[in-house]
Amino acid sequence: MFAAERRQLILEMVRANGAVSLRELARVVQTSEVTVRRDVRALEAEGLLDRRHGGAVLPGGFTRESGFPQKSHLASAEKTAIADLAAGLVGEGEAVVVGAGTTTQELARRLARVPGLTVVTNSLLVAQALAHANRVEVVMTGGTLRGSNYALVGSGAEQSLQGLRVSRAFISGTGLTAERGLSTSNMLSASVDRALVQAAAEVVVLADHTKLGSDTMFQTVPTDLITRLVTDEPPPHEERAAAELQALADQGVQISVAGSHQPPAEAPPPPGAAGGRSGAVRRDMPLPGQRRTVHGAPPPGGPQLRGTTGPGALGEQLGERGRVADLRRR
């Protein structure tokens, strides 16, 4: 295939999907990622697309949301590894909320093996993955079906989450930056995700490395409310993605990197350590160019956990298992 043909095909894929990873582009045009990266640079110089960490997006600085069929094929191996790692955070008998997305769908398939689990979700795909799981209770929000990602959105979904208290929220999105946090391209989806986050004591973001550094229209979770990021290891050439991970860790986000076979380490904070939020920063592998480090509990100043309960459609369904801590800032 000639360079002009490759670049035309790359441009068509980006226009159709909004955002495409370099790996997927290389697979479709049947060439190396190095060649695709060169083509993407040339198209960016012409103003036809924008480069992002590990991929290309529509020009203008904000990616638009791809449909489920396109997203399900992007970074599929990375999403599987992320889901494997995130599932280890959930214990028997917990109550959690799981948002919509292809990565959270992978997580749901693994949560089917956790006995006594209660999962609250607005995603039909998450509910379907858990429908036949033994000893797993699935509670769905109300709302209006959004067909592009098979999620329930709108005021019905948000109202059904009022008063809900669970241990963790597992959320995905379209972009993630240290400056702005997690974001998505759809206003209705963003609003429901914010309601899911408000119901949880801890917020776990699932995002592969291609989303690091991307920014989209609607913020869902600001960085200071993200407890943990579960992601995959950026390729060696993606220095900007590694820098974004470091910036997130510097703001107190616990980083778990899928792909490492070493057990995560946790240790007390070094003398004089400051900043961050409660809990050790966990890295399953060090960031490129750095030694493996861990940080412990910071001095007072971050959010604190305060036990709360309250009435609400889903909170009443969950009963005692839904009555756990609520994340509140001092």
Side-chain angles (χ1 to χ4, degrees):
M1 186 180 296
F2 293 110
E5 295 176 309
R6 280 198 319 271
R7 292 172 185 177
Q8 181 61 35
L9 182 55
I10 289 171
L11 190 58
E12 290 174 358
M13 289 183 63
V14 173
R15 285 174 175 171
N17 299 314
V20 187
S21 68
L22 291 177
R23 182 176 301 177
E24 181 68 11
L25 290 172
R27 185 188 67 80
V28 172
V29 301
Q30 298 182 345
T31 188
S32 68
E33 288 189 32
V34 173
T35 300
V36 167
R37 191 175 298 108
R38 189 183 307 120
D39 291 336
V40 168
R41 287 197 187 101
L43 291 169
E44 183 183 44
E46 297 178 32
L48 299 174
L49 52 74
D50 288 342
R51 283 187 297 158
R52 286 293 183 269
H53 306 319
V57 302
L58 290 173
F62 294 102
T63 60
R64 71 172 176 83
E65 186 178 31
S66 305
F68 174 79
Q70 292 81 21
K71 289 192 290 186
S72 62
H73 296 294
L74 296 177
S76 57
E78 290 86 348
K79 292 174 182 177
T80 298
I82 289 169
D84 285 338
L85 184 56
L89 301 173
V90 182
E92 181 176 348
E94 281 195 59
V96 300
V97 295
V98 180
T102 52
T103 310
T104 52
Q105 180 188 21
E106 288 296 326
L107 171 64
R109 292 177 176 138
R110 287 145 183 83
L111 295 182
R113 300 188 290 267
V114 181
L117 183 66
T118 299
V119 176
V120 180
T121 185
N122 69 320
S123 169
L124 298 186
L125 298 175
V126 168
Q128 183 183 43
L130 295 166
H132 300 292
N134 292 326
R135 300 180 61 192
V136 175
E137 181 180 358
V138 180
V139 181
M140 295 204 67
T141 69
T144 303
L145 178 63
R146 184 166 179 259
S148 62
N149 64 346
Y150 302 94
L152 297 171
V153 297
S155 60
E158 296 171 40
Q159 290 173 9
S160 66
L161 292 163
Q162 291 180 3
L164 177 68
R165 294 294 180 267
V166 298
S167 57
R168 292 182 185 87
F170 292 91
I171 302 291
S172 188
T174 309
L176 177 64
T177 65
E179 178 181 2
R180 194 158 173 255
L182 189 68
S183 59
T184 190
S185 303
N186 181 266
M187 181 173 62
L188 294 175
S189 295
S191 186
V192 174
D193 282 351
R194 284 192 289 267
L196 290 171
V197 165
Q198 290 172 3
E202 297 181 1
V203 179
V204 181
V205 171
L206 310 182
D208 63 79
H209 74 271
T210 64
K211 297 177 181 178
L212 293 175
S214 294
D215 199 4
T216 49
M217 291 183 67
F218 301 99
Q219 182 191 59
T220 55
V221 190
T223 306
D224 59 356
L225 290 186
I226 299 174
T227 308
R228 183 186 299 272
L229 166 65
V230 184
T231 186
D232 61 297
E233 183 184 12
H237 60 270
E238 292 294 341
E239 297 178 359
R240 293 175 61 187
E244 198 74 51
L245 279 181
Q246 182 59 59
L248 287 163
D250 289 343
Q251 295 195 38
V253 178
Q254 302 173 34
I255 308 295
S256 295
V257 181
S260 170
H261 299 290
Q262 300 178 357
E266 295 187 355
R277 290 185 291 282
S278 61
V281 173
R282 166 182 162 184
R283 292 202 188 110
D284 294 322
M285 54 175 39
L287 298 176
Q290 295 186 333
R291 295 180 301 173
R292 185 175 181 174
T293 59
V294 292
H295 308 278
Q304 63 178 356
L305 295 179
R306 181 173 67 85
T308 62
T309 59
L314 296 184
E316 292 174 357
Q317 292 181 41
L318 290 176
E320 293 298 323
R321 281 191 295 177
R323 297 182 181 180
V324 294
D326 181 30
L327 188 62
R328 296 295 175 89
R329 195 183 312 281
R330 285 179 180 168

